[in-house]
Amino acid sequence: MSRFRVQGKGRVRHDAPVGFTFDGRAYDGLRGDTVASALLANGVHLMGRSFKYHRPRGPVCAGTEEPNALVGTSRDGGAKGGRFEPNTRATAQELRQGLTVESQNRLPSLKFDVGAVNDRLYMLFSAGFYYKTFMWPRSFWDRVYEPVIRAAAGLGKAPDTVDPDRYASRYLHTDVLVVGAGPAGLTAALAAARSGAEVTLVDEHAEMGGALLSDPGVGIDGMPAWDWIAAQLDELDRLGVRRMTRTTAIGYYHQNMVGLCERLTDHLDTLPDDAPRERMWRVRAGHVVLAQGALEKPLVFDGNDRPGVMLAGAAQTYLNRYGVRVGDLAVVVTSHDSAWHAAFDLADAGTRIAAIVDTRASVRADLTEAAARRGIRVLASHTVTATWGRLRVKSVRVAPVRDGKVQGGYRIDCDCLLMCGGWTPSLHLFSHTKGTLRWDDVQQAFLPDRSVEACQIAGAGRGLWGYEAALRDGIAAGNAAAEALGRDAQDSAVLVANDRTGSGVSHKELPTDGDPNRARAFVDFQNDVTAKDIRLAVREGMRSIEHVKRYTTNGMATDQGKMSNVNGLMIASDAVGKAPPQVGLTTFRPPYTPTTFGTFAGYHRGGQFEVTRKTPIDAWAEAHGAAFEPVSLWRRAWYFPQAGEDMHAAVARECLATRRSVGIFDASTLGKIEVSGPDAVEFMNRMYTNPWTKLGIGRCRYGVLLGEDGYIRDDGVIGRLRDDLFHVTTTTGGAARVLAMMEDYLQTEWPDLDVWLTSTTEQWATVALNGPDARKVLAPLVEGQDMSAEALPHMSVAECTVAGIPARLFRLSFTGELGFEINVPARHGLRLWEALMQAGADYDICPYGTETMHVLRAEKGFIIVGQDTDGTVAPDDANLGWAIGKAKTDFVGMRSLRRPDLVAKGRKQLVGLLTEDGAVRLEEGAQIVADPDQPKPMKMLGHVTSSYSSATLGRSIAMALIEGGRDMDGQIVHVPMPDGVHKARITSTNFYDPEGERLKV
Amino acid sequence: MLLIHCPYCDETLPELEFAYAGEAHIDRPADPASLSDEEWRDYLFIRSNVKGTHAERWRHIHGCARFFNALRDTVSDEFITTYPAGQARPDLTIKEAAE
């Protein structure tokens, strides 16, 4: 056992060793250790390299705010495994048997890192270096800055395989949610629970007790602190309080919704079967009590980042909670009383305290007397100006300060330097809901001011110091929560023995007699931001703290400024020459601590990421080898490849078969809305551009829907089944949008219209039959309808039975061929499909998918809304002026068709494009220019919207939106693509059978 | 996540059930054809964009599917009140006096 482990001390189990490795070397720790405490027990302080300068770093704290000791951890297979996690805080990760830990951001090793050359070049990386160093020369952008400098900066590497763990999520409703189970949180939870309220108590650590776990010498109500904690937890359990450890409140949202991340397995030696790794809780609380305590601030001086330099409170925690002395010979430097207690605890455990350096001129007599009793040298009114030691601090230079002047300094040897710059209340969650803060001049800290939520803050979180104050404040907060919920609260007392009260002062960077421009006095350890950087940012014009943050990167990255924000503010406000509240504080944003993507994703991954909608015929398509493509949430058959066919060959075959004989297509995803009621026709007249009054029963019309701005929103064929009943079809992706738009107008603009709107998309299965033989296949299956061209002409609809199934039978064509769309109740869709396949066997019926559908419609110049239109295309632009009811006085978007910009010359119009070389297929989205030799930037005339290889025409075809395109018929334009500039001739969009002869069958 | 009161269902429910639908109390002109270009532009595009109490439309899309109106503070995001479509905007000064 290491000599740094203090036998019998701490909450670790000294009889339960736990083996792990760090950078390949095996170590032993104890059950209850964190990675950091176990390494410190082995005398290892060096755990990482810094972000920018690659300076050697060790842990600076003992909690989740750790900026330095970030490591990669894994359970199986090291950095290649899906359970590898980068940037794990060694101070928060509980030790488990077999844990593999590796350091980050170093090459080739932690002790010798070539990236440390950056430290010598620190002048290059001053504030705003992104905007300076990376500017010139241009040729360095791609060859030096990006590959070399950027790669050298940074944190851990993301794993490159899929995370095999599962993540869960749950909702919780509770009367009172208490965040933080330190002294204030425990008494708050108990007070609220005693009133009968349903209480939830959460804490991010492995066990509850907070700061009391690091202060076992305190007595509460006649009990040692740890016995008192156990008694409170017992009572909480008896009262039915939901207690959750290893659970971080990561975000606080409107109306008392709090997000919790519960870590379930990271501390376990072996994974239980089927347990999720983490669980996200979305909690809605009647009342919230924030008892998150305070975070200790570092002091800012040259060399305050060497391994071995850490917060005094952290050293106290390592000792009392983990039984680890962080060194043999300590110097303590502080501006707050709390560090004195840490020094005494360490001295009593056998660490020599070389000196307590206090920046203040006078310190409480009881503290100096306690130091004298232990023979500790006290240096009041002193500063620290430098440290030495490459991989571990080995000495520190201290100097007296008189009348603001630093006098001659001297070196003191040490193997650890414990600092304390005071404490700052943890107000992150409070700020998430826009709770306001006010600057307290006495405490030199921001304290909570007004809350916008039903919320209390208790204890050190609102600037109270000492256990008795915190415990009593917790009781008051718990009672206030109970009373706010209408419950009777009882006051109770609490008595503390050996309380550790205290106060302190705040500093900007400590005074020095050295050159402040050469001082490496770190404010933000994680981002390598020094005091000098912040002052430089202010000199270069940054006045707002938000600008200073972005220019220097102070307070960014995984610790989100937990340790650096207030020190940065003190320095910035000094440089600006204004009081800290006038300079302000940067905004705290969720999450409070780094949270895995898995927790946010929860169950929504893989097949559960989003719904996959399938048609009733989907199973047939799958069984017959269809390739699928997603269309909004639908999965649609894309094409049906036969043996040896690629997509191109399959689509060519499907197209030719359909035009030669007959093709069958699953159109079930088409949006369908039933518009019914006495005012249905009036409603249709107002919504669509077309006239509907004279549309006969049993006839169809192609309808165009505009937005009020005059641009095309949707289209589709609409059949009139009765005087008061329309069967409206919409685009596949537009169905919900169109229904919402119709509902909006019906409910809010025309509530007087007697109309009902019903989504029937999923009630009907729709099968399209197209091709010269379509009627021959279909007619034998139809009952109750004369199938002759006279009785059922193009653009008509009938109700009949098909294959014995009641059907709405449309005759229409989206291919230019004789076409039918048969709608049957969805549950019969597959039966209809199979009946048609059987009936079509004699005609070589060919199932085709969406790609062939697209090619066939493009050969006819039929548009796809959202592909050939983009929300800025008016009907005339898309050659749909004919679809506007000329006699109508109003419809949605009609007034906009007279907008000055919609009637202006030079609008982009939809035209056809034929490449000079028919083998060249243009890229959809390719830009179009008149002259490829014009100087850059070129005048773009428009872009290609649809482009296919047409097997029917034996060449490629395309559609494009081109400025004034219709007046350019026959002209040559140029389309630059990666493989060169292609010439194309502007034509009509109707490439095939322009007279429509093939419909007349 | 906000809780929103649906005035038709008379229940306070999570934001997830609702969809925002733009500023409230902008009536579609009875005769758009008679409007000048400027008047039509104002109807189409000009919105008040207030800092403070804003009247806006919401729809209980995953519930009763009806549109209603709300007064919401755009600074705090707080819903002050909700009311059925077609009703006049509540006068908050009267409401406050009554409280």
Side-chain angles (χ1 to χ4, degrees), chain B residues 55-84:
Chain B
E56 57 194 23
R57 300 176 342 121
W58 283 79
R59 188 181 179 203
H60 193 186
I61 182 91
H62 298 299
C64 66
R66 295 179 72 181
F67 286 84
F68 59 89
N69 292 333
L71 293 184
R72 193 176 58 91
D73 188 318
T74 58
V75 178
S76 68
D77 284 344
E78 180 199 3
F79 274 80
I80 300 158
T81 186
T82 58
Y83 51 100

Side-chain angles (χ1 to χ4, degrees), chain A residues 564-580:
Chain A
S564 60
N565 265 359
V566 174
N567 280 337
L569 173 61
M570 297 301 283
I571 294 164
S573 66
D574 181 63
V576 173
K578 284 183 180 168

Side-chain angles (χ1 to χ4, degrees), chain A residues 171 253-255 257 284 434 708-709 740 743-745 747-749 890-892 895-896 898-900, chain B residues 1-3 16 26-28 32-33 35-37 40 43-45 57 59 65-67 75-77 85:
Chain A
Y171 284 88
Y253 306 91
H254 286 299
Q255 288 166 295
M257 169 159 270
R284 186 77 71 172
K434 294 185 183 165
E708 207 67 91
D709 55 13
E743 280 285 354
D744 194 347
Y745 279 93
Q747 287 186 34
T748 68
E749 298 293 352
D890 189 22
F891 54 79
V892 172
R895 172 64 185 82
S896 282
R898 287 194 285 118
R899 278 167 43 172
Chain B
M1 186 165 56
L2 295 163
L3 295 171
L16 288 175
I26 297 174
D27 290 343
R28 187 173 193 269
L35 266 57
S36 69
D37 285 340
W40 184 246
Y43 164 69
L44 279 184
F45 301 122
R57 300 176 342 121
R59 188 181 179 203
R66 295 179 72 181
F67 286 84
V75 178
S76 68
D77 284 344

Side-chain angles (χ1 to χ4, degrees), chain A residues 5 51 57 322 344 388 436 491 522 587 615 634 677 696 711 732 764 767-768 814 846 859 906 951 963:
Chain A
R5 185 77 74 175
F51 182 75
R57 292 281 170 82
Y322 301 103
F344 300 155
W388 287 271
T436 59
D491 214 3
F522 286 90
T587 312
T615 76
W634 291 98
Y711 296 133
T732 292
W764 296 108
V767 178
F814 198 44
C846 175
E859 287 168 349
E963 269 182 39

